[in-house]
Amino acid sequence: MNRQLCKNLSVSILALAAALPAQLRGQEHPIDAPAAPWWQSAVFYELYPRSFADSNNDGIGDLKGVTSNLDYLKDLGVDAIWITPCFPSPQVDFGYDISDYENIDPMYGSLQDFDHLLAEANKRGIRILLDFVANHTSDQHKWFQDSKGSRTSAHRDWYIWRDGRGPSQPPNNWVSTFGLSAWTFAPTTQQYYYHYFYPEQPDLNWRNPAVEAAMFDVTRFWYKRGVAGFRLDAVDSLFEDPKLTDNPFAPGTDTFGRRNMDEKYNQKLPEVHGVLRGLRKVADEYNAVLIGETYTSSIDELKHYYGDHSSELQLPMDMMFATVDKLSAAEFRKQIASVNSSGGWPVFLIGNHDMPRSYNRYGDRLHDDAIAKLMAALYLTLRGSPILYYGEEIGMQNNDPKSKDDVRDPQGKVGWPTEKGRDGERTPMQWTTDLNGGFSQTKPWLPVPPSAATHNVAAESADPASILNFYKRLLYLRHHEKALLEGEYIALDESNPNVLSFLRRYRNDGVLVVLNMSATAQKVTLDLASHGFAGATHTTLLNDGTGATRSQGADINLEPFTAYIEKLTD
Ligand code: GLC
């Protein structure tokens, strides 16, 4: 077929494709459609408030610290911030044990400080999301305090109380994911209560309609204040088998040295979806978004969390992508194809407050900064909404405790030394080269690693080749290139074990992303013609230094761990 004919044909195929209903083209709502939901084009930023910025120098971050750094986030290219729990809490699980859902913990400030943060964020076009911890409360919450008082108290059935199997024997064999039993005996009423996490985090009984009503009201309380949505914590764990059937054991042991369990009777029960549909109805009244902490093990499970006709979570996190544990083009290619096949709008992240930092998980200790940029170029150019974890944009590293005495996360105390806990990925944001990375003038609650001397906002802002400036350029492109925002994803060169290449195509525009995930130089020859870009003009959008070169014809040469992005205009 001659070149012009081929070009004309592909143009008409493109025009045809553009005329197809959006769903058939693999995108539910084109972002430029009047009713397009805001969260499809948003870049989310997960912010751990204890560690972001300390305005009153007590060693712990706070809301005023967040407010005073909104310009930094705006400049970075963030559209929405998810703040991990900042509600009153005894801080056993650093906020994930809530004692009052409708207030702010004094260590972070006040409701007025929160309203001020919302107003300032709003001025900058940044939305605020909160964390909704629905599975459990703190044992200090007034509901639990009442519940444990007597077998007939008003809130008794708000939690899961059962008799033991026999003297000193818990009701069944379920274990807490944090290393201990899932049952704690309460002497006052001579029964056990259930907790999938720490004993200080008793599970709510979601089979009780009063619990559901009270918790749905919590979301209304914050929506009315101006919150744009929630990240739903631990949704997999909301329900348990009422008969308390023992879980079967599975091969191997966990990091606490216990036999693995197939948690079929206390995880991902079908009833979870009813609650999610209910939460979604409330969210829809406020044009809010629900992001799910969804630890799925198959795409069918993930698909289920979107719900039929998108009736559950708009954005269930793809933790299968997030937990890919090696820099492998084949593995990422597989995960991307898999989430795209779900039909929902994907959510991509590479780190959070529960997993070691991506810098350590993918780095090879020789090319760590290049790899951090490469990973950014991956998850920020895919079709879907990305969630950045604070500090990822400056290449923050894990700083694990050196001894058991240094551990703050109880999980690390129980599991030391095989399980060191999650302190390492929660250390203070590195702002400057000053004392404590400029986070606080007092000793911070977790130590700042030596890498703060080079990896901090001030130093990286001044260095055009820094990870931070790379993130900024990428996020700028994301916001300005239609193809990156909503173009379809087309995998290229799919058998290449070293280089992950793909095209994002929106009408006649394309953005080509080429990522060398190997430690050796690579050359790729990509077939763009069959995707409608036979005679396209190529304009480099992003290249890490001179890491990639386009030689004559179709070849692209890439240095080790280089990302190359170009625009194709037909
Ligand atoms: C979620 C949170 C984690 C917390 C747990 C219990 O997994 O991300 O940090 O410890 O829930 O609330």
Side-chain angles (χ1 to χ4, degrees), residues 63-81:
L63 294 186
K64 283 189 176 146
V66 177
T67 309
S68 61
N69 285 293
L70 285 171
D71 286 336
Y72 164 74
L73 295 172
K74 182 71 193 165
D75 189 42
L76 175 60
V78 167
D79 304 296
I81 306 170

Side-chain angles (χ1 to χ4, degrees), residues 93 96 136 178 197 201 231 233 293 353-354 422 426:
D93 193 15
Y96 282 95
H136 49 269
F178 283 166
F197 297 96
Q201 296 168 298
R231 174 265 193 182
D233 184 63
E293 187 199 18
H353 63 287
D354 294 327
R422 299 161 294 177
R426 299 173 172 181

